[in-house]
Amino acid sequence: MKRNITLLSLSLALCLSSLTNTALANTQDKPFAIAIHGGAGTISKAKLTMEQQQAYRAKLTEAVDAGYKVLAKGGDSLAAVQASIVILENSPLFNAGLGAVYTFDGSHELDASIMDGRTMNAGAIAGVQHIKNPIELAYKVMTDSPHVMLQGAGAEEFALTQGMSLVPTQYFDTAQRYQQLFDAKQKITAAEMTQGYQASVNALDLDYKFGTVGAVALDQQGNLAAGTSTGGMTAKRYGRVGDSPVIGAGTYAENGVCAVSATGHGEYFIRYMVAGDICAKVKYQDKSIIRAADEVINQRLITAGGSGGVIAIDQRGNIATPFNTEGMYRATRSKGEPAQVMIWQDQ
Ligand code: ASP
């Protein structure tokens, strides 16, 4: 009898240990990775001081590490994307949350979106003025409302029903962004008087410092997610909405295919369905993520005259970060590897 019990416990122990080993092997085999961006634009090497560079690199590292930690613990890609984006929204260095650019009228209107590649569900908000972390509200729209996009006062009312508090719009103010508005307005009004509104906006393009933030991630369960958050473009007119909250333009995620977050001149990204087009090339033309993203950013968009870039990730954790501007703040981190932080093509 005693011998039988010992044999039984031995086989139970063996069975348990083989189960644990299989579970371990399963997670060990699973790739996971995250990529983030802090905006593309005219980031001049000559103008960015060493201290500024270090500040950007440190914040990007902190943000990518936060998302990576979520993934390494087995957390889901949606949580990782939010963990990274919240850190960038809370930093005045980037054009999202605190430090958002000013509208033409001197206020702030923020846009954000998030997409779950597993369910193809998505949430977005546009033109909010009192939400400290727009990505969190976009997530709530996805999980707790029957809608995909809420805008303005309605979005803020929804935030209150979700127990989120509102911040005064002055919370987003920074002196540096105010100066950018001042400079931009002078150029716009001068050009507008001679060439009209459309020409004046076009003339300003290269001076916009984009600075939107975003993240894409693949978790150990194979789920893809993408999120983007922005203050939009300096001196945008009242009510203008860019690509960042538009699913398929600034943000897209689909399990088995890819996840994309964009930054750049939103009007082009909307018209060329940039995020969705990259994933369509992967899905229907079987192109690699590197090739698909490069074709859209460095061929199609350049021909169209649209500037900006994307971060994109595929089902195996391959990452592409093409941009057609001087620079794009970005960081990536793949399973078991240290963070890679870059601003220009080569560093
Ligand atoms: N894409 C954003 C917009 O057009 C701007 C940016 O990426 O910085 O609103």
Side-chain angles (χ1 to χ4, degrees):
M1 176 71 178
K2 198 172 167 200
R3 190 166 167 265
N4 279 349
I5 291 177
T6 320
L7 274 178
L8 188 67
S9 13
L10 198 68
S11 50
L12 256 176
L14 276 174
C15 190
L16 270 177
S17 106
S18 94
L19 272 178
T20 322
N21 285 343
T22 322
L24 260 181
N26 279 345
T27 34
Q28 272 163 6
D29 290 347
K30 307 282 189 212
F32 64 90
I34 182 161
I36 64 169
H37 69 79
T42 45
I43 305 166
S44 155
K45 262 188 199 173
K47 284 194 199 144
L48 206 63
T49 65
M50 220 15 127
E51 291 76 49
Q52 285 170 324
Q53 257 198 63
Q54 276 163 1
Y56 277 107
R57 288 183 194 276
K59 198 44 85 177
L60 288 165
T61 308
E62 182 191 334
V64 82
D65 283 350
Y68 180 89
K69 229 182 259 170
V70 172
L71 299 173
K73 280 195 206 139
D76 70 31
S77 49
L78 280 171
V81 158
Q82 283 185 85
S84 293
I85 291 181
V86 162
I87 289 174
L88 301 173
E89 284 179 337
N90 291 345
S91 162
L93 294 174
F94 305 98
N95 169 21
L98 173 64
V101 297
Y102 286 85
T103 64
F104 192 85
D105 300 335
S107 63
H108 304 280
E109 293 177 7
L110 304 120
D111 306 331
S113 66
I114 192 160
M115 186 161 185
D116 180 356
R118 186 171 51 97
T119 58
M120 299 293 285
N121 205 353
I125 52 159
V128 296
Q129 299 192 293
H130 305 96
I131 303 294
K132 182 171 178 249
N133 292 109
I135 195 69
E136 290 180 346
L137 184 54
Y139 179 78
K140 284 276 182 198
V141 171
M142 176 174 78
T143 57
D144 290 87
S145 92
H147 306 299
V148 169
M149 189 189 289
L150 294 178
Q151 59 88 28
E156 296 188 347
E157 210 167 284
F158 172 71
L160 290 174
T161 69
Q162 296 301 304
M164 294 176 79
S165 44
L166 305 185
V167 293
T169 189
Q170 291 81 359
Y171 164 79
F172 304 105
D173 288 349
T174 53
Q176 175 221 0
R177 296 291 184 204
Y178 196 76
Q179 185 62 45
Q180 278 174 12
L181 174 66
F182 185 79
D183 296 344
K185 273 180 97 165
Q186 282 190 324
K187 284 180 194 150
I188 286 180
T189 35
E192 203 167 342
M193 280 199 283
T194 49
Q195 301 154 51
Y197 173 56
Q198 186 61 49
S200 75
V201 171
N202 289 344
L204 196 60
D205 263 351
L206 287 178
D207 289 331
Y208 279 125
K209 303 272 190 297
F210 295 121
T212 289
V213 309
V216 294
L218 168 73
D219 66 28
Q220 297 190 39
Q221 291 71 46
N223 294 317
L224 290 167
T228 311
S229 179
T230 190
M233 290 173 81
T234 305
K236 64 183 182 181
R237 297 301 161 118
Y238 181 73
R240 179 264 187 189
V241 176
D243 61 311
S244 308
V246 179
I247 299 302
T251 303
Y252 190 77
E254 181 174 349
N255 269 18
V257 185
C258 74
V260 178
S261 169
T263 169
H265 194 163
E267 279 70 10
Y268 289 85
F269 281 66
I270 294 174
R271 290 194 284 118
Y272 286 81
M273 305 181 302
V274 165
D277 197 26
I278 292 171
C279 291
K281 281 174 183 284
V282 174
K283 186 171 175 176
Y284 301 117
Q285 298 184 323
D286 213 17
K287 289 189 169 152
S288 73
I289 192 73
I290 306 274
R291 183 155 172 217
D294 181 67
E295 281 180 6
V296 173
I297 298 300
N298 287 319
Q299 293 174 28
R300 194 139 201 260
L301 221 50
I302 286 188
T303 313
S307 50
V310 294
I311 47 168
I313 189 167
D314 73 9
Q315 195 59 47
R316 289 180 295 282
N318 299 310
I319 290 171
T321 63
F323 52 95
N324 62 30
T325 48
E326 199 170 342
M328 180 169 82
Y329 298 109
R330 62 203 187 278
T332 61
R333 192 161 175 199
S334 301
K335 181 180 176 179
E337 286 172 25
Q340 307 242 0
V341 184
M342 310 270 279
I343 301 176
W344 296 282
Q345 290 293 358
D346 53 340
Q347 53 179 282

